[in-house]
Amino acid sequence: QLQLAESGGGLVQPGGSLRLSCVGSGFSLDYYAIGWFWQAPGKEREEIACISFSDGSTYYEDSREGRFSISKDNAKNTVYLQMNNLKPEDTAVYYCAAGPKCSIISSTELWGQGTQVTVSS
Protein backbone atom coordinates (compact mmCIF):
# COMPACT_ATOMS: atom_id res chain seq x y z
CA GLN A 1 0.00 0.00 0.00
CA LEU A 2 1.37 3.38 -1.02
CA GLN A 3 1.44 5.82 1.86
CA LEU A 4 2.92 9.13 2.88
CA ALA A 5 3.33 10.13 6.50
CA GLU A 6 4.12 13.60 7.79
CA SER A 7 5.70 14.32 11.14
CA GLY A 8 7.46 17.10 12.96
CA GLY A 9 4.59 19.45 13.61
CA GLY A 10 3.80 20.94 16.97
CA LEU A 11 3.56 24.11 18.98
CA VAL A 12 6.31 26.66 18.48
CA GLN A 13 6.78 30.26 19.52
CA PRO A 14 6.93 33.04 16.95
CA GLY A 15 10.42 33.24 15.50
CA GLY A 16 11.03 29.56 16.10
CA SER A 17 11.79 26.77 13.64
CA LEU A 18 10.42 23.37 12.79
CA ARG A 19 11.42 20.71 10.32
CA LEU A 20 8.63 18.64 8.88
CA SER A 21 9.29 15.21 7.43
CA CYS A 22 7.39 13.31 4.76
CA VAL A 23 8.22 9.62 4.57
CA GLY A 24 7.08 7.35 1.81
CA SER A 25 6.21 3.75 2.54
CA GLY A 26 5.29 0.96 0.19
CA PHE A 27 7.04 2.68 -2.69
CA SER A 28 10.19 4.59 -3.58
CA LEU A 29 10.01 8.33 -3.96
CA ASP A 30 12.82 8.17 -6.53
CA TYR A 31 10.43 8.62 -9.44
CA TYR A 32 8.03 11.10 -7.92
CA ALA A 33 7.70 14.77 -7.27
CA ILE A 34 6.87 15.60 -3.67
CA GLY A 35 5.02 18.73 -2.69
CA TRP A 36 4.29 20.43 0.61
CA PHE A 37 0.97 22.15 1.15
CA TRP A 38 -0.68 24.04 3.95
CA GLN A 39 -4.28 24.53 4.96
CA ALA A 40 -5.07 27.25 7.44
CA PRO A 41 -8.35 27.14 9.37
CA GLY A 42 -11.26 28.03 7.14
CA LYS A 43 -9.11 28.25 4.03
CA GLU A 44 -8.34 26.08 1.05
CA ARG A 45 -5.23 23.95 0.85
CA GLU A 46 -2.39 25.75 -0.93
CA GLU A 47 0.94 24.65 -2.30
CA ILE A 48 4.15 25.79 -0.65
CA ALA A 49 6.91 24.01 -2.51
CA CYS A 50 7.73 20.98 -4.58
CA ILE A 51 10.84 18.93 -5.21
CA SER A 52 11.59 16.59 -8.05
CA PHE A 53 13.02 13.48 -6.47
CA SER A 54 14.94 12.46 -9.58
CA ASP A 55 17.14 15.53 -9.93
CA GLY A 56 16.34 17.56 -6.85
CA SER A 57 14.90 20.54 -8.73
CA THR A 58 12.86 22.70 -6.38
CA TYR A 59 9.90 24.97 -7.02
CA TYR A 60 8.29 27.42 -4.64
CA GLU A 61 4.73 28.61 -5.10
CA ASP A 62 4.58 30.56 -1.92
CA SER A 63 5.97 33.86 -0.76
CA ARG A 64 7.55 32.12 2.19
CA GLU A 65 10.42 30.79 0.07
CA GLY A 66 12.91 32.86 2.02
CA ARG A 67 11.83 31.28 5.31
CA PHE A 68 10.87 27.80 4.14
CA SER A 69 13.00 25.36 2.19
CA ILE A 70 12.34 21.93 0.78
CA SER A 71 14.94 19.19 0.60
CA LYS A 72 15.19 15.42 0.28
CA ASP A 73 17.10 12.45 1.56
CA ASN A 74 17.01 9.67 -1.01
CA ALA A 75 18.45 7.10 1.37
CA LYS A 76 15.67 7.74 3.89
CA ASN A 77 12.93 8.05 1.28
CA THR A 78 12.08 11.33 2.95
CA VAL A 79 11.35 14.91 1.97
CA TYR A 80 11.72 17.72 4.46
CA LEU A 81 10.26 21.17 4.88
CA GLN A 82 12.49 23.40 6.97
CA MET A 83 10.50 26.29 8.40
CA ASN A 84 12.32 29.20 10.01
CA ASN A 85 11.21 32.44 11.61
CA LEU A 86 7.72 31.09 12.02
CA LYS A 87 4.83 33.51 12.38
CA PRO A 88 1.35 33.05 13.86
CA GLU A 89 -0.10 33.20 10.35
CA ASP A 90 1.86 30.06 9.50
CA THR A 91 -0.46 28.12 11.80
CA ALA A 92 -2.04 25.39 9.68
CA VAL A 93 -2.16 21.71 8.91
CA TYR A 94 0.74 20.82 6.63
CA TYR A 95 0.45 18.04 4.08
CA CYS A 96 2.80 16.34 1.68
CA ALA A 97 1.75 14.81 -1.61
CA ALA A 98 3.38 12.65 -4.28
CA GLY A 99 2.81 12.93 -7.99
CA PRO A 100 4.46 12.42 -11.36
CA LYS A 101 5.80 15.97 -11.64
CA CYS A 102 5.72 19.28 -9.79
CA SER A 103 3.64 21.11 -12.37
CA ILE A 104 0.62 18.94 -11.59
CA ILE A 105 1.34 17.99 -7.99
CA SER A 106 -1.79 19.64 -6.62
CA SER A 107 -3.99 17.25 -8.60
CA THR A 108 -2.45 14.09 -7.19
CA GLU A 109 -4.47 11.59 -5.21
CA LEU A 110 -1.64 10.48 -2.95
CA TRP A 111 -1.58 12.58 0.22
CA GLY A 112 -0.38 12.21 3.74
CA GLN A 113 -2.64 12.65 6.72
CA GLY A 114 -1.23 16.04 7.67
CA THR A 115 0.63 17.42 10.66
CA GLN A 116 -0.51 20.36 12.73
CA VAL A 117 1.76 23.37 13.15
CA THR A 118 0.72 25.98 15.68
CA VAL A 119 2.72 29.17 16.08
CA SER A 120 1.80 30.94 19.27
CA SER A 121 3.36 32.55 22.30
Side-chain angles (χ1 to χ4, degrees):
Q1 185 176 3
L2 310 184
Q3 290 184 325
L4 294 171
E6 303 95 337
S7 63
L11 174 64
V12 62
Q13 292 186 343
S17 297
L18 284 174
R19 188 178 75 163
L20 306 183
S21 299
C22 173
V23 180
S25 60
F27 69 111
S28 170
L29 298 181
D30 286 356
Y31 303 103
Y32 288 82
I34 306 298
W36 278 102
F37 295 74
W38 74 306
Q39 187 167 21
K43 297 187 177 182
E44 294 185 355
R45 188 161 51 191
E46 298 179 349
E47 184 176 353
I48 299 170
C50 185
I51 187 166
S52 173
F53 223 81
S54 59
D55 63 6
S57 299
T58 57
Y59 307 90
Y60 292 88
E61 296 286 345
D62 194 274
S63 62
R64 293 172 290 180
E65 179 178 354
R67 297 188 293 121
F68 290 12
S69 65
I70 190 170
S71 63
K72 63 182 178 72
D73 186 328
N74 295 53
K76 296 182 178 180
N77 214 35
T78 300
V79 172
Y80 302 101
L81 183 69
Q82 177 67 42
M83 306 187 297
N84 299 323
N85 190 22
L86 284 160
K87 303 177 181 181
E89 52 264 40
D90 296 321
T91 294
V93 178
Y94 286 74
Y95 299 89
C96 64
K101 52 185 177 179
C102 285
S103 61
I104 56 172
I105 190 69
S106 60
S107 63
T108 185
E109 295 184 354
L110 182 56
W111 295 84
Q113 81 288 351
T115 185
Q116 175 71 46
V117 172
T118 302
V119 185
S120 176
S121 55

